[in-house]
Amino acid sequence: MNISRLLAATALASASFAVPQVALAQTTPAPAPTTAQDEAEEEESATTEVTVTGSRIRRDTFSTVEPITVVTKQEITQSGFASATDALQSAEVTAGAGQINNFYGGFVTAGGTGANTLGLRNLGPARTLVLLNGRRIAPAGTRGNVLSADLNVLPTSIIERIEVLKAGASSVYGSDAIAGVVNIITDTTTRGLTLEAQVNVPEVGAGVDRRISATFGFESGPLNVIGSVEYRQRDAMTLADRDFTKCPIPGFRLDADSPIGSDDPYPLGDPRNCFTIDNGGVTINTLGVPTRTGIGRTSGTLGNFNRFVPAPGLGGGATPGYLGVGLYDRDSFDPRSQEEELITPVKTYTGFLAASYDIDGLGNAEIYGELLATRRQSSSKLYRQLSIDYLRGSPLLPTEFRNGTFLAATNTTSGQPIAARAFVAFGLTDSSQEVDYVRAGLGIRGDFFLSGWRYDVYAGKSFTDGTYEIESFLIDRVAASTNVVQNTDGSFSCAAAATLANCVAAPALSAAVIGGNLPQAWRDYILQNTIGTTKFREATFSAAIDGPVFALPGGDVQLAVGVEYREQEIDDTPDDNSIRGNLLGLTAGTPTRGKDNVKEAFAEVYLPILSGRPFFENLNLNASARYTDYASYGSDVTYKVAGEWEFFKGFGIRGSYGTSYRAPALAEQFLGATSGFISSANDPCDADNFPQDPDGAGPLPRPAYSVAQQTRANNCGAVGINVETFQQNSGITSFTRGGAETGLSAETSTNWSVGAVLQPRIAAGTTLALAIDYFNIEVTNGVSALGGTTILNRCYGATDFDPNAGFCRFVQRDANQALTVTSGFVNLATDIVKGYEASARFATDLFGGRLTINANVTKYTEQSDKTFPEEILLDSNGTLNVPDWVGSGDVSFRSGPVTARYGITWFDGSSGTAVYNQTSRTTGVVNQANVDALNTFYQIEVPSYFLHNASLQFNVNKKFELTMGVRNLFDTEPPQVTVYYTTIGNAPLYSGYDYTGRQVFINTTFKF
């Protein structure tokens, strides 16, 4: 076997920790070569036929026509990753693509809180196929939007390696394999018992991550059994635990040369800039009433206000005992809010068992089976502000506030106008998730009746059962509690007490109530634990045969043919209060129920055209095709053609072209009508989103607006809103719907690549290998979900504003200017991703040891999309959170039992963010004035970002191994930006940044 061809053809396109021998897939690899002599012996002895991820053909060489990223168990350990999940979501694998991870505790995400997914090429997890030993991992999670595999279900201790093919493979594996394929391959050779323990301890002391496991294996005659059990627990890291989240500021600048925060409401460094309404804060300890005179809290003079804070013995005008406040001198910070998690906690229990049994009949057959079972327990805390709306005329109000009209009626006011609203700091509420995932499979494989042919028949079933709980305010209870009558003894009772015997009246308005001192009985009445359940089922059956057909000058032509059937079903049942829309300020939804099935037939052929000839050391061609027939979306044929031409040993070229067809996932089709609430502060026309006098004197005049704000103000004016006075006091209702009811169709795509590999022969004990590949992916009619905030911003920020077209077609305002945004899964016209990947590996004997250097760089040249056919393709490449350059590398030196490793990850800084956001999606015209204003007064670009890690590993007689090291060696914090995109503190919400900070890790392994 030609090990040098292996390195050139496969491992070179891999991540920084790729090693040559692990381009194998689904077979037992030989030990890693360590010297030139070892490599020669490896080449002579290895004769096993193997299959490579991305192909169903068994071959007697390691050669493959497409680049594969390889991550070994040793490299996971040496890099300090606490789990396979962390390794898979790292930049070394994802090349900068944003991932859903445990930074999203307070957000509604696919799979629910705690789910971790993997998407390649920034095309999302629904377009990336995750396999375990070549078989699909079914979607898992909670809520109706369960789209893709949850990486939490994967074992870590028994992993032998992970292979990542960043190329379309739908013709080989079927739907989902559009951006690439991830194949987790377990160890098949372990014998005896291995105990492993790892702990990662962040320097801040919080967020400790620990894992213990036992791996075992034995062989008894024809029976071979291997398995593992493991437990992982990661503690929470809260906002209070990290410096960069302890004082979020608006971050406005005086000019392009001034530091971030230099134009904030208070002087740079003033703690009053922390947790303003612009960033991190919410209005609390405050009373909202119709405009009346009062003494300003900051100015000390009489003025007109509609927000007041209690100040017994102070105040004046028409509001004694209260001081008037504006946007920046109201209370907006509750220390309890810092107990929200920056990184959410999780516990996982995982068991894996694989067994095989050889029998004499059925072609020397092997019966094999696998069982994977995982339980995930995760949770998240959410800080809640509560608005207590007091009805006009309510006896709960002092007489001076009783008869005014502050706001129109809402769903919590029994149809009556609001006289006063108390903005109260309620505190933390809990949510939790428990997800059980089981995958069981049984198969038989053996010799077919044709010489050299093999058959493989497999059937499998996956089960996901999830429960999600969240403490929620119930609308009907809040409404009942604020509609009261006064008893003769001066106490209060609910007006509906006759029908709601357990109703607890809301507290009368007082300074204590405004300050959050609420009766426990009332808190317990309006806050209830709501429970939903999610079930997902997937059944799979496949049968395939493969073997030689005829001989070519380069070897035997190999053919694989087969059929596959998959059936999926989802049943998500939210709590009854969610179904009835009875949750105040939280997402609500109706059941998501649906099923689909697909029948497929596939064929693949491998043509070794020439080998061992001048200028044709190897010339190979691979072609595959698949017929797909979905019950929901009909049929299509996908195909792929790939080839490699090695001119002479150590130098060649390769390329591929393929098509894909993906029917929408069950959640994309059948997601129950889900309603949620976006904060009223997200109304683009709200006066608080425009410049305000810091002393509370109200909004500043139009000349103080930036050009971007002028555009938005003009668009709001076009629908009759004066942004200098308008206050949005109603939460924005958002609806998300599945696509089956809106005509969602299947998506198609093309994926092609071309590359070159070089591995010159240098000297004994020294190897050098280089590779570069160009990739081009285009998704047509792609399925994607639009977010409510995105819709609002694009609607009212458009330079070619039309209230009935573009994104505004999804926005409605009623007579009271209350907003409703309807979003859901739609077919995007186009998604395009293009770029280059380059890899290098150098290894040599040095000072009696072995020095190895790896490097991998990805350069995206385009990451563009358009939402509607009438739009232009708009390229986000290189903008904030969408890096155009991503790199990783490592240097390791092994001497005897000791291995030292140093690694680095790099994300290029952003540019062009303002241009991207100020380009019309329909005309392509750039609003340069807005661009200049954004670049001058906002910090929306970030510098290059580097992460370093180092480790030492000691291996004692191959029985005891100790690895210790440091991740984020220099404690690099995420970059700071002005509040413009979604942020945590002043850091962009992006999985590529490390929010944990410096952490020490220790891994110990004992073999018996």
Side-chain angles (χ1 to χ4, degrees):
M1 183 179 301
N2 192 328
I3 199 72
S4 59
R5 184 165 69 244
L6 158 68
L7 181 58
T10 61
L12 271 193
S14 61
S16 62
F17 31 67
V19 292
Q21 81 280 2
V22 292
L24 293 171
Q26 303 169 50
T27 59
T28 302
T34 57
T35 67
Q37 180 180 357
D38 291 335
E39 290 178 0
E41 292 174 355
E42 174 81 352
E43 184 172 341
E44 291 173 4
S45 63
T47 58
T48 305
E49 286 189 332
V50 299
T51 52
V52 178
T53 297
S55 173
R56 294 180 181 270
I57 298 290
R58 292 176 295 119
R59 306 173 192 171
D60 59 1
T61 73
F62 286 101
S63 177
T64 181
V65 295
E66 292 185 289
I68 296 178
T69 297
V70 182
V71 184
T72 69
K73 172 64 184 304
Q74 272 290 21
E75 292 150 348
I76 292 174
T77 301
Q78 292 175 0
S79 299
F81 294 117
S83 66
T85 299
D86 295 342
L88 284 167
Q89 291 188 323
S90 67
E92 289 89 342
V93 171
T94 64
Q99 309 298 320
I100 297 298
N101 57 17
N102 294 289
F103 303 159
Y104 288 78
F107 297 85
V108 178
T109 57
T113 300
N116 286 249
T117 57
L118 176 62
L120 300 174
R121 303 298 194 206
N122 266 326
L123 290 173
R127 298 185 185 127
T128 298
L129 179 61
V130 180
L131 309 173
L132 178 64
N133 292 325
R135 309 290 183 183
R136 287 169 172 264
I137 294 288
T142 57
R143 298 181 175 267
N145 196 10
V146 176
L147 285 175
S148 52
D150 179 6
L151 303 181
N152 289 297
V153 308
L154 298 174
T156 297
S157 60
I158 203 168
I159 287 177
E160 193 276 326
R161 67 190 180 280
I162 300 169
E163 297 181 356
V164 183
L165 173 67
K166 298 177 186 175
S170 287
S171 59
V172 177
Y173 295 112
S175 184
D176 310 338
I178 291 177
V181 179
V182 178
N183 193 6
I184 296 94
I185 300 164
T186 59
D187 190 354
T188 60
T189 62
T190 189
R191 294 294 180 264
L193 176 66
T194 300
L195 301 179
E196 181 184 1
Q198 177 161 332
V199 61
N200 288 49
V201 182
E203 187 176 87
V204 296
V208 176
D209 200 338
R210 56 192 71 81
R211 176 174 55 86
I212 58 173
S213 66
T215 303
F216 57 89
F218 66 88
E219 190 171 16
S220 177
L223 177 65
N224 180 37
V225 177
I226 290 176
S228 68
V229 291
E230 60 186 81
Y231 168 76
R232 180 194 180 195
Q233 177 180 327
R234 184 188 59 242
D235 298 337
M237 180 175 289
T238 69
L239 297 173
D241 291 323
R242 295 287 281 138
D243 288 341
F244 76 90
T245 52
K246 287 182 178 179
C247 177
I249 62 175
F252 302 112
R253 303 188 302 189
L254 286 169
D255 52 54
D257 297 322
S258 298
I260 184 172
S262 56
D263 196 32
D264 282 351
Y266 300 100
L268 195 64
D270 191 318
R272 290 177 294 177
N273 277 326
C274 304
F275 299 98
T276 67
I277 299 300
D278 300 288
N279 188 13
V282 293
T283 300
I284 59 174
N285 307 332
T286 301
L287 177 66
V289 292
T291 301
R292 56 197 297 139
T293 61
I295 302 296
R297 184 188 213 179
T298 302
S299 66
T301 60
L302 193 66
N304 293 319
F305 299 89
N306 62 7
R307 301 288 194 278
F308 292 87
V309 294
L314 300 176
T319 323
Y322 290 85
L323 295 175
V325 293
L327 184 65
Y328 293 116
D329 63 345
R330 66 183 67 174
D331 291 347
S332 56
F333 174 59
D334 182 348
R336 290 176 295 178
S337 68
Q338 286 294 87
E339 296 177 41
E340 280 192 346
E341 290 114 349
L342 175 64
I343 300 174
T344 57
V346 68
K347 294 179 181 179
T348 58
Y349 307 81
T350 306
F352 176 82
L353 185 66
S356 64
Y357 189 87
D358 297 328
I359 61 176
D360 294 332
L362 299 176
N364 298 313
E366 176 190 57
I367 299 173
Y368 64 93
E370 280 187 2
L371 177 65
L372 171 67
T374 303
R375 167 167 288 183
R376 165 170 61 91
Q377 295 174 330
S378 54
S379 62
S380 177
K381 293 183 182 297
L382 178 64
Y383 176 79
R384 298 294 300 272
Q385 173 223 51
L386 177 64
S387 297
I388 307 176
D389 291 333
Y390 289 93
L391 314 186
R392 190 169 62 188
S394 171
L396 295 173
L397 285 171
T399 55
E400 63 266 28
F401 298 137
R402 188 171 295 178
N403 297 315
T405 300
F406 178 58
L407 296 170
T410 69
N411 56 0
T412 64
T413 64
S414 305
Q416 301 179 52
I418 300 168
R421 170 176 284 180
F423 298 91
V424 175
F426 187 86
L428 294 165
T429 57
D430 293 326
S431 69
S432 63
Q433 309 80 37
E434 183 171 278
V435 180
D436 292 329
Y437 176 87
V438 176
R439 193 190 78 163
L442 184 66
I444 183 171
R445 54 195 168 207
D447 296 327
F448 202 51
F449 65 86
L450 297 174
S451 176
W453 282 69
R454 298 275 291 172
Y455 71 87
D456 191 340
V457 179
Y458 172 86
K461 181 88 173 187
S462 295
F463 307 81
T464 293
D465 290 277
T467 301
Y468 51 100
E469 304 182 27
I470 184 168
E471 292 182 318
S472 310
F473 301 128
L474 301 187
I475 292 173
D476 57 357
R477 293 196 175 195
V478 173
S481 71
T482 55
N483 187 12
V484 304
V485 294
Q486 189 166 17
N487 302 316
T488 56
D489 62 357
S491 62
F492 302 97
S493 299
C494 301
T499 56
L500 298 173
N502 64 338
C503 183
V504 178
L509 183 70
S510 66
V513 167
I514 296 172
N517 186 4
L518 305 173
Q520 189 62 47
W522 187 67
R523 292 172 65 98
D524 293 341
Y525 175 67
I526 65 170
L527 186 70
Q528 295 293 307
N529 192 43
T530 59
I531 302 174
T533 59
T534 304
K535 294 183 178 181
F536 195 100
R537 302 289 185 263
E538 180 177 88
T540 302
F541 171 80
S542 65
I545 57 174
D546 72 280
V549 183
F550 57 85
L552 286 177
D556 288 339
V557 173
Q558 299 287 327
L559 176 67
V561 295
V563 294
E564 187 167 339
Y565 173 82
R566 293 192 309 278
E567 183 177 273
Q568 292 184 330
E569 182 176 2
I570 189 172
D571 184 344
D572 175 72
T573 305
D575 187 271
D576 181 65
N577 287 289
S578 177
I579 296 173
R580 293 188 292 111
N582 195 36
L583 306 183
L584 180 60
L586 287 179
T587 298
T590 57
T592 297
R593 296 186 179 122
K595 62 176 60 177
D596 202 357
N597 66 73
V598 57
K599 306 175 188 70
E600 297 178 298
F602 59 85
E604 182 182 357
V605 62
Y606 173 66
L607 303 169
I609 300 171
L610 291 171
S611 67
R613 307 276 182 96
F615 207 58
F616 289 96
E617 180 64 27
N618 276 292
L619 180 62
N620 301 319
L621 185 67
N622 186 275
S624 57
R626 176 176 289 253
Y627 172 77
T628 300
D629 184 11
Y630 276 94
S632 57
Y633 285 94
S635 61
D636 199 2
V637 174
T638 58
Y639 64 89
K640 186 173 186 177
V641 179
E644 60 173 343
W645 181 3
E646 189 178 6
F647 304 124
F648 47 85
K649 286 187 177 181
F651 178 68
I653 58 175
R654 61 191 176 196
S656 68
Y657 178 88
T659 64
S660 295
Y661 171 85
R662 187 180 79 88
L666 294 184
E668 294 170 329
Q669 295 182 53
F670 303 111
L671 182 67
T674 303
S675 66
F677 290 91
I678 305 170
S679 169
S680 59
N682 286 288
D683 187 335
C685 300
D686 192 291
D688 287 350
N689 290 319
F690 294 88
Q692 301 281 314
D693 189 309
D695 293 329
L700 296 176
R702 284 284 187 98
Y705 294 2
S706 69
V707 177
Q709 291 165 338
Q710 286 278 10
T711 298
R712 187 155 38 91
N714 292 337
N715 293 342
C716 295
V719 294
I721 295 176
N722 181 355
V723 299
E724 295 184 18
T725 59
F726 175 67
Q727 292 284 334
Q728 179 57 271
N729 292 301
S730 299
I732 301 168
T733 303
S734 66
F735 288 100
T736 305
R737 303 181 185 278
E741 61 183 86
T742 58
L744 195 66
S745 60
E747 67 180 31
T748 58
S749 66
T750 59
N751 188 321
W752 65 275
S753 66
V754 61
V757 291
L758 174 65
Q759 185 184 2
R761 294 184 176 274
I762 303 177
T766 300
T767 61
L768 173 66
L770 306 169
I772 184 169
D773 289 273
Y774 172 80
F775 56 87
N776 184 310
I777 305 171
E778 181 171 341
V779 179
T780 304
N781 213 36
V783 178
S784 185
L786 299 175
T789 303
T790 297
I791 291 172
L792 285 171
N793 291 338
R794 289 194 177 180
C795 169
Y796 284 94
T799 55
D800 51 349
F801 179 74
D802 183 339
N804 300 309
F807 283 90
C808 293
R809 73 184 75 174
F810 302 114
V811 178
Q812 289 184 324
R813 288 184 183 270
D814 65 15
N816 296 317
Q817 299 298 350
L819 277 170
T820 299
V821 182
T822 301
S823 61
F825 292 97
V826 297
N827 288 107
L828 301 182
T830 307
D831 268 302
I832 294 177
V833 181
K834 301 177 183 178
Y836 297 87
E837 279 194 331
S839 299
R841 177 181 173 88
F842 174 77
T844 188
D845 297 329
L846 183 69
F847 303 129
R850 186 71 171 169
L851 174 70
T852 304
I853 302 173
N854 291 295
N856 188 82
V857 175
T858 300
K859 164 59 178 173
Y860 294 97
T861 59
E862 182 178 349
Q863 299 182 73
S864 61
D865 70 275
K866 61 178 182 179
T867 306
F868 304 114
E870 65 267 23
E871 294 182 341
I872 65 163
L873 278 168
L874 193 54
D875 191 358
S876 63
N877 191 43
T879 61
L880 186 63
N881 296 351
V882 191
D884 55 347
W885 284 93
V886 181
S888 59
D890 66 79
V891 178
S892 63
F893 183 76
R894 185 177 67 229
S895 179
V898 180
T899 301
R901 180 186 179 277
Y902 189 91
I904 187 171
T905 301
W906 160 62
F907 298 93
D908 191 27
S910 67
S911 63
T913 304
V915 172
Y916 172 75
N917 282 280
Q918 294 301 317
T919 300
S920 168
R921 287 235 165 203
T922 54
T923 66
V925 175
V926 177
N927 188 324
Q928 192 58 48
N930 283 5
V931 170
D932 294 340
L934 285 172
N935 286 330
T936 299
F937 304 113
Y938 290 71
Q939 176 68 51
I940 57 174
E941 306 292 7
V942 296
S944 293
Y945 184 77
F946 296 87
L947 289 173
H948 303 257
N949 59 83
S951 66
L952 277 175
Q953 187 174 77
F954 304 89
N955 193 316
V956 182
N957 296 326
K958 298 184 179 180
K959 294 293 185 181
F960 170 70
E961 185 178 84
L962 173 66
T963 307
M964 61 184 74
V966 181
R967 290 190 57 77
N968 194 351
L969 187 61
F970 300 109
D971 198 23
T972 305
E973 291 190 347
Q976 283 192 320
V977 294
T978 304
V979 180
Y980 187 71
Y981 281 14
T982 303
T983 59
I984 298 179
N986 282 97
L989 180 58
Y990 173 54
S991 62
Y993 298 133
D994 178 33
Y995 295 165
T996 305
R998 183 188 292 120
Q999 57 179 305
V1000 175
F1001 66 89
I1002 298 176
N1003 179 286
T1004 58
T1005 303
F1006 297 85
K1007 296 184 178 181
F1008 300 92

